[in-house]
Amino acid sequence: MVSALGMTAVLGGCGMSGGSADVTLKLVAADYGDSAANSSRKYWDKLVEEYEADHPGVKIDVSVYSWNDVDRKVREMVAAGDPPDMAQIGAYADYADRNQLYKADDLLSIPVQADFVGQLATAGQVRGVQYGMPFASSTRVLFYNKSLFAKAGITPPETWDDLAEDAEALKAEGVKYPYALPLGPEEAQAETLQWMLSGGGAYTDTVGSYGIDSPENVDTFSWLKDELVGKGLTGPVAPGELNRADAFAAFAKGEVGMLNGHPSLAKIAARKGAKYGIVPTPGKEGTTRSTLGVADWMTAFRKNGHRDQVGDFLDFVYSERNVLAFSREYDLLPVTSSASETMATSGRDRHLKTFLDELPASELYPVGKTSWAGVSAQVKQQIGKAVAPGVSPSGVLGRLQAAASRAESAE
């Protein structure tokens, strides 16, 4: 399973910290590590130890769960009438819609709330009020295999036509996946939005209503079907059956010429010795103006009270030093402007610069819609059919739009 960021995480839950206190705050957090050596548990252990040393009347009881379990675990706790004080999870809108969460401005000091990166703060809003506090973020760019490109005598693409020409050259050299198009159910909603944006579309229109079957999106998927999939440029596995993790693994093995990816792909490729480059996502007629941005969220539940203590702890969590430490540990982008500015000028973070440069103009999923979880699930299951032989892209997108409109009307 993966987080909203697409980060693989495998570890199970475990409570930590002991002793007595006047107030005990329960935090459920997601694990961004891929082994015991870099578990998020270690990050929280260190942070909590430091906080409790300066706040002897407050105990922070943290449980860390893998992305397989964390959202389900929180849902079960809420359903049982025993929500945690804080939950760092993948979605927040349902809880906000049921008035179960504190507003961000009920908790955070003004400087801390104002420090959130603008579009991440906006994405945390339901009906204009911020409930979701961004905790981790990422953007997507185009990765390419430098060795395969050199062998084919080609340069990184800037437009769709360039990408198709490069894919043809890579195919001629026997590359297994000239362009890997993972529209399988694992994370198809990400690849879908990345391509929608590159064609001037998105999941929603300019007034925030679903626009899945917009003319721009139909044109985008028609081009993908005709110019990439139909010409055998996306590899031996049908896009609707290719998952992101498998595409990433194939890229690390040198079997993929190009694909969209986030920072963790850089780590995966480097570990396997693959020589890669990254460039902004090619657009229909030039570099895409807006790329895909993704965030995971911190939430605070109202039931147990402790508003002041929760707010004080979260002010500490969102200090520049702690945001930088987390982002650097897991190769993610900071969610605050102060930490982003520090990272942008730091030599140790230069491998994240292209991703960081993309963040201000990125577009996120419509996570403020309570219908988004269901719509996203439908996209994951259906969008691969839009590029399948004998199927009309407009028909698939139209059915997804109809389902999204019904879900939106029910909100």
Side-chain angles (χ1 to χ4, degrees), residues 145-154 169-170 173-175:
N145 184 300
K146 286 186 173 181
S147 300
L148 297 179
F149 266 59
K151 184 178 179 182
I154 54 178
L170 291 164
E173 292 292 334
V175 175

Side-chain angles (χ1 to χ4, degrees), residues 102-108 113 129-130:
Y102 282 115
K103 302 172 185 176
D105 58 10
D106 286 338
L107 299 168
L108 302 175
Q113 189 176 2
V129 177
Q130 185 181 356

Side-chain angles (χ1 to χ4, degrees), residues 72-157:
R72 175 184 55 80
K73 182 66 176 179
V74 172
R75 283 196 302 272
E76 290 173 352
M77 294 171 73
V78 172
D82 186 28
D85 296 280
M86 295 164 283
Q88 187 267 300
I89 47 181
Y92 65 86
D94 282 355
Y95 301 125
D97 192 58
R98 295 194 292 266
N99 197 32
Q100 294 173 319
L101 301 180
Y102 282 115
K103 302 172 185 176
D105 58 10
D106 286 338
L107 299 168
L108 302 175
S109 65
I110 292 174
V112 169
Q113 189 176 2
D115 197 27
F116 286 132
V117 174
Q119 77 273 34
L120 299 181
T122 300
Q125 296 178 355
V126 173
R127 291 182 286 275
V129 177
Q130 185 181 356
Y131 295 92
M133 293 163 278
F135 184 77
S137 68
S138 181
T139 56
R140 307 297 168 95
V141 298
L142 184 76
F143 281 71
Y144 66 96
N145 184 300
K146 286 186 173 181
S147 300
L148 297 179
F149 266 59
K151 184 178 179 182
I154 54 178
T155 57

Side-chain angles (χ1 to χ4, degrees), residues 64-405:
V64 175
Y65 295 91
S66 78
W67 280 104
N68 286 341
D69 303 315
V70 66
D71 287 295
R72 175 184 55 80
K73 182 66 176 179
V74 172
R75 283 196 302 272
E76 290 173 352
M77 294 171 73
V78 172
D82 186 28
D85 296 280
M86 295 164 283
Q88 187 267 300
I89 47 181
Y92 65 86
D94 282 355
Y95 301 125
D97 192 58
R98 295 194 292 266
N99 197 32
Q100 294 173 319
L101 301 180
Y102 282 115
K103 302 172 185 176
D105 58 10
D106 286 338
L107 299 168
L108 302 175
S109 65
I110 292 174
V112 169
Q113 189 176 2
D115 197 27
F116 286 132
V117 174
Q119 77 273 34
L120 299 181
T122 300
Q125 296 178 355
V126 173
R127 291 182 286 275
V129 177
Q130 185 181 356
Y131 295 92
M133 293 163 278
F135 184 77
S137 68
S138 181
T139 56
R140 307 297 168 95
V141 298
L142 184 76
F143 281 71
Y144 66 96
N145 184 300
K146 286 186 173 181
S147 300
L148 297 179
F149 266 59
K151 184 178 179 182
I154 54 178
T155 57
E158 296 182 2
T159 68
W160 287 0
D161 287 344
D162 295 341
L163 189 148
E165 290 175 7
D166 285 348
E168 288 279 10
L170 291 164
K171 181 182 179 182
E173 292 292 334
V175 175
K176 187 173 181 179
Y177 295 89
Y179 178 84
L181 182 65
L183 295 178
E186 179 191 355
E187 205 195 14
Q189 83 284 0
E191 186 75 8
T192 296
L193 182 53
Q194 188 79 347
W195 275 99
M196 284 177 169
L197 292 169
S198 74
Y203 281 121
T204 55
D205 58 25
T206 55
V207 296
S209 297
Y210 285 110
I212 295 173
D213 63 346
S214 69
E216 293 84 0
N217 292 339
V218 171
D219 287 348
T220 294
F221 276 85
S222 296
W223 186 89
L224 282 171
K225 178 183 177 182
D226 296 340
E227 302 301 326
L228 289 186
V229 181
K231 294 183 178 180
L233 301 178
T234 54
V237 179
E241 299 174 6
L242 181 64
N243 282 323
R244 178 200 58 82
D246 295 330
F248 279 17
F251 183 82
K253 290 191 294 185
E255 298 176 345
V256 174
M258 299 172 281
L259 82 169
N260 289 321
H262 50 64
S264 69
L265 178 55
K267 183 180 291 186
I268 294 169
R271 191 182 300 143
K272 294 291 186 179
K275 295 180 179 179
Y276 68 89
I278 54 178
V279 294
T281 303
K284 190 172 185 179
E285 298 178 355
T287 301
T288 302
R289 289 176 295 177
S290 180
T291 190
L292 168 63
V294 185
D296 295 331
W297 305 95
M298 178 69 76
T299 59
F301 286 86
R302 292 158 43 98
K303 182 169 183 179
N304 299 326
H306 308 316
R307 185 186 72 175
D308 292 343
Q309 292 88 349
V310 169
D312 187 73
F313 177 66
L314 290 179
D315 274 0
F316 177 73
V317 168
Y318 283 109
S319 68
E320 180 182 337
R321 178 168 60 89
N322 287 330
V323 171
L324 275 173
F326 180 84
S327 301
R328 285 168 168 165
E329 177 66 27
Y330 299 106
D331 279 334
L332 295 167
L333 303 183
V335 297
T336 62
S337 297
S338 59
S340 295
E341 290 166 4
T342 298
M343 183 174 279
T345 58
S346 171
R348 68 180 289 188
D349 303 308
R350 57 183 176 273
H351 63 295
L352 293 173
K353 186 178 188 307
T354 301
F355 300 95
L356 195 61
D357 289 346
E358 295 290 317
L359 186 59
S362 65
E363 179 163 335
L364 282 75
Y365 304 126
V367 289
K369 290 178 174 292
T370 58
S371 60
W372 169 243
V375 172
S376 176
Q378 287 288 313
V379 171
K380 290 178 183 181
Q381 295 298 322
Q382 302 297 326
I383 195 64
K385 298 175 183 177
V387 295
V391 178
S392 164
S394 62
V396 174
L397 294 175
R399 288 190 291 275
L400 286 170
Q401 172 63 27
S405 296

